[in-house]
Amino acid sequence: MVPTSSSWRAVRDRLDALARELREARKVAVHVIAADLAVPDEVERVVREVQALPVEIEFLVNNAGLGNVGAFATSPLERQLVMVDVNVRALVRLTHAFLPAMIARGRGRVLDHRLDGGPPAGPVRARSITRARPS
Ligand SMILES: NC(=O)c1ccc[n+]([C@@H]2O[C@H](COP(=O)([O-])OP(=O)(O)OC[C@H]3O[C@@H](n4cnc5c(N)ncnc54)[C@H](OP(=O)(O)O)[C@@H]3O)[C@@H](O)[C@H]2O)c1
């Protein structure tokens, strides 16, 4: 489903409200970037906007994701492709963008909330989730 401008406004309002709550309760700086992670250009925008912030990413939480109930063969293709884009493509892109600085600093965490509960994203995992044929 492509979000409408009013649903994006609702998402943005919800995130802004949470940011205000965190600033007041925890006295921390909070930056909000709302994006549709099913859209590759939006994921690139997230990377750019985060990299422009005066912060170091110490903890990347790959929480965004969606699932599908029902038989794969009869489920709408669009839903399956959005799942791949959000659950796999965005996760791989964001981890690839922020992991190198963590490694260089010798400090950092990636928390991965994917639906399949498999091993964490990494070179082997990235390869295995993009294989087109079973081995
Ligand atoms: N619930 C379970 O049993 C279960 C089990 C294993 C793994 N997981 C995984 O754990 C994570 C959280 O699950 P949950 O149960 O909390 O699900 P949820 O309530 O549906 O949360 C999913 C989150 O992903 C975000 N999201 C979905 N599509 C997006 C998109 N195109 N762009 C940006 N954000 C998007 C949603 O944003 P909005 O709120 O703005 O829609 C929401 O914040 C997911 O990755 C899920 O696959 C869940």
Side-chain angles (χ1 to χ4, degrees), residues 86-102:
V86 177
N87 298 7
V88 180
R89 195 182 195 287
L91 178 149
V92 169
R93 177 63 183 114
L94 294 172
T95 305
H96 189 265
F98 300 117
L99 189 59
M102 295 179 191

Side-chain angles (χ1 to χ4, degrees), residues 8 11 14 35-38 62-67 86 113-115:
W8 271 117
V11 168
R14 194 155 44 90
D36 182 353
L37 298 180
N62 286 313
N63 178 69
L66 62 158
V86 177
H113 274 202
R114 289 157 316 145
L115 202 58

Side-chain angles (χ1 to χ4, degrees), residues 61-126:
V61 180
N62 286 313
N63 178 69
L66 62 158
N68 187 52
V69 177
F72 168 73
T74 52
S75 294
L77 177 62
E78 183 58 27
R79 174 79 178 177
Q80 304 297 332
L81 294 177
V82 168
M83 283 170 57
V84 171
D85 284 336
V86 177
N87 298 7
V88 180
R89 195 182 195 287
L91 178 149
V92 169
R93 177 63 183 114
L94 294 172
T95 305
H96 189 265
F98 300 117
L99 189 59
M102 295 179 191
I103 293 170
R105 281 197 307 274
R107 193 180 69 247
R109 295 279 186 278
V110 179
L111 179 62
D112 188 356
H113 274 202
R114 289 157 316 145
L115 202 58
D116 64 0
V124 175
R125 179 68 193 165

